Amino acid sequence: MSTEGWTKISLTSDPLDVGAALSSARSSDCGAISIFLGTTRADIVDGKKVEALRYEAYEAMALKIMQALCDQVRKIYPVKNLIVSHRTGVVKVKEDSIMIICVGGHRSESIKATEWLINEIKAKLPVWKKEIFVNGLEEWIENKETFWRE
């Protein structure tokens, strides 16, 4: 397998099309595809039910960081095609807010690359989220993994 592949990164307010992304990511010389989807869940926070999340991003910086992380993961794991897409705007319960697809020769590197990417994205990407509750209230939430939190 050649690890010379491509990378597609995006921030979008549109729903993530996993099927189309998966279809485009496939490669005839790769036997593994790892997919991570981060999905909005209907948590209960302080007695309030979450209806959706609202994501805001510093787009220019976020895209640069996404590309740098994809470049970096290629140096660690021999993966071929990469897709990283993060939603902005309102993401309702059961909708996907982030999609990562890593295509590689074997499952081990694809799975490890996917896990590495989501952990680094959670720590470094300038994307903020607000919980929107059923009662209409909204509240910014802090990401526990974010490097600037320490």
Side-chain angles (χ1 to χ4, degrees), residues 127-141:
V127 172
W128 299 273
K129 65 182 172 181
K130 188 182 268 190
E131 291 174 323
I132 302 171
F133 300 104
V134 173
N135 63 6
L137 296 176
E138 297 185 7
E139 186 175 304
W140 288 108
I141 57 174

Side-chain angles (χ1 to χ4, degrees), residues 7-112:
T7 300
K8 293 181 183 175
I9 58 169
S10 65
L11 291 171
T12 180
S13 59
D14 296 329
L16 301 176
D17 188 342
V18 180
L22 177 59
S23 181
S24 74
R26 291 182 183 277
S27 177
S28 61
D29 61 346
C30 292
I33 301 173
S34 179
I35 303 170
F36 174 83
L37 298 172
T39 305
T40 301
R41 62 181 177 262
D43 275 352
I44 304 294
V45 179
D46 298 328
K48 301 174 294 231
K49 186 175 181 181
V50 174
E51 182 176 63
L53 297 174
R54 180 186 317 279
Y55 288 93
E56 293 184 18
Y58 178 0
E59 187 171 348
M61 182 183 282
L63 291 171
K64 284 182 184 178
I65 289 171
M66 289 165 83
Q67 183 63 56
L69 292 174
C70 287
D71 293 345
Q72 192 174 351
V73 79
R74 286 180 185 286
K75 294 176 183 172
I76 303 168
Y77 302 105
V79 291
K80 186 168 186 176
N81 299 333
L82 298 172
I83 296 176
V84 178
S85 188
H86 202 299
R87 292 277 305 272
T88 56
V90 175
V91 181
K92 294 179 181 177
V93 168
K94 297 198 298 185
E95 289 184 357
D96 302 318
S97 56
I98 186 167
M99 171 178 58
I100 298 172
I101 299 176
C102 295
V103 178
H106 303 281
R107 69 181 172 269
S108 180
E109 60 257 20
S110 295
I111 291 168
K112 288 176 183 175

